[in-house]
Amino acid sequence: DTEVTQTPKHLVMGMTNKKSLKCEQHMGHRAMYWYKQKAKKPPELMFVYSYEKLSINESVPSRFSPECPNSSLLNLHLHALQPEDSALYLCASSQGATTPPTDTQYFGPGTRLTVL
Amino acid sequence: ILNVEQSPQSLHVQEGDSTNFTCSFPSSNFYALHWYRWETAKSPEALFVMTLNGDEKKKGRISATLNTKEGYSYLYIKGSQPEDSATYLCAFLYNQGGKLIFGQGTELSVKP
């Protein structure tokens, strides 16, 4: 199984809502990533978890809160978002055996988020 | 500021044509160069991870070369097929951060 799954596929939320994005992999990977991609722009790294510990936070606003409850799951909790946070949110995982991780990253299909 | 440039931004070819794209990246602090293929509404798919200067990798009709001294990588597709239509992204990993920096991609359209 080389699949990374993400739910939901689409999410529309208001600025006062609280919602969560979920990412799951069953490849035994120990590194997991959240990326944000705005239209016509390259994906930008938000967070990296290595062995279930947050190892990189790219100065992401606190309205985005990541969580890694176990080695297979990665969540992104959203609260009080702004319309400019509307984007495609991609999750990825890799074996994470090296530092920095040079191994292949396997991506999910993304969650398309719209903030009204 | 680390910058990864890809050219061309888009490319339209006929089925059977061979094509190539360029990825330019900083030549200092190099650690690895990744290539991904991303079809609309699907997950980005890893093609290659290249780490050594002079590396050449091949997967079917797709191949890639790497020059870390001058900071570029080429991706070649031989005999393009309509199913090759996708955006091809390269991503640079530098040795100080563990963070992949993506280029904007080359959007390839192959007409039957």
Side-chain angles (χ1 to χ4, degrees):
Chain A
D1 182 6
T2 58
E3 196 181 14
V4 176
T5 58
Q6 288 188 244
T7 53
K9 287 188 179 174
H10 301 274
L11 179 62
V12 180
M13 60 187 288
M15 289 191 284
T16 56
N17 292 158
K18 281 186 184 181
K19 296 284 184 185
S20 297
L21 310 184
K22 183 179 167 183
C23 173
E24 199 163 358
Q25 55 88 14
H26 295 287
M27 295 178 274
H29 288 174
R30 302 314 297 266
M32 295 186 79
Y33 311 78
W34 279 115
Y35 288 87
K36 174 181 177 179
Q37 197 222 6
K38 301 278 279 184
K40 303 291 184 188
K41 298 281 186 186
E44 289 182 352
L45 183 68
M46 299 173 73
F47 303 105
V48 180
Y49 271 82
S50 180
Y51 289 82
E52 296 148 56
K53 288 188 168 34
L54 184 65
S55 61
I56 296 178
N57 176 343
E58 285 291 310
S59 303
V60 179
S62 59
R63 57 186 185 268
F64 295 92
S65 174
E67 179 199 17
C68 189
N70 60 57
S71 59
S72 301
L73 271 177
L74 184 66
N75 299 320
L76 186 64
H77 303 298
L78 314 172
H79 175 53
L81 294 195
Q82 305 295 310
E84 59 265 28
D85 296 321
S86 298
L88 180 70
Y89 288 84
L90 290 161
C91 172
S93 71
S94 70
Q95 284 189 337
T98 59
T99 304
T102 59
D103 44 0
T104 301
Q105 293 187 20
Y106 293 84
F107 282 83
T111 293
R112 177 73 61 188
L113 175 68
T114 303
V115 182
L116 301 175
Chain B
I1 295 176
L2 296 170
N3 206 26
V4 177
E5 303 272 351
Q6 289 188 249
S7 62
Q9 278 193 322
S10 64
L11 198 51
H12 299 267
V13 301
Q14 289 294 132
E15 182 175 355
D17 287 351
S18 291
T19 186
N20 65 83
F21 334 127
T22 304
C23 172
S24 300
F25 53 86
S27 54
S28 58
N29 298 320
F30 175 86
Y31 209 94
L33 195 281
H34 294 224
W35 279 102
Y36 289 88
R37 178 175 177 275
W38 195 359
E39 284 183 74
T40 304
K42 293 191 178 178
S43 308
E45 174 198 351
L47 291 174
F48 307 114
V49 178
M50 308 178 80
T51 55
L52 297 175
N53 185 42
D55 242 357
E56 286 189 32
K57 300 236 174 176
K58 191 173 180 185
K59 189 176 182 177
R61 292 179 291 98
I62 305 177
S63 59
T65 61
L66 179 68
N67 183 323
T68 60
K69 293 187 178 176
E70 294 180 42
Y72 64 84
S73 175
Y74 294 137
L75 188 81
Y76 302 91
I77 303 179
K78 186 178 175 183
S80 303
Q81 300 296 308
E83 57 265 31
D84 295 329
S85 298
T87 296
Y88 291 82
L89 288 166
C90 69
F92 166 75
L93 181 70
Y94 67 106
N95 63 9
Q96 306 263 330
K99 169 183 166 182
L100 274 182
I101 299 170
F102 281 85
Q104 289 199 293
T106 292
E107 191 176 346
L108 174 67
S109 173
V110 183
K111 290 190 178 176

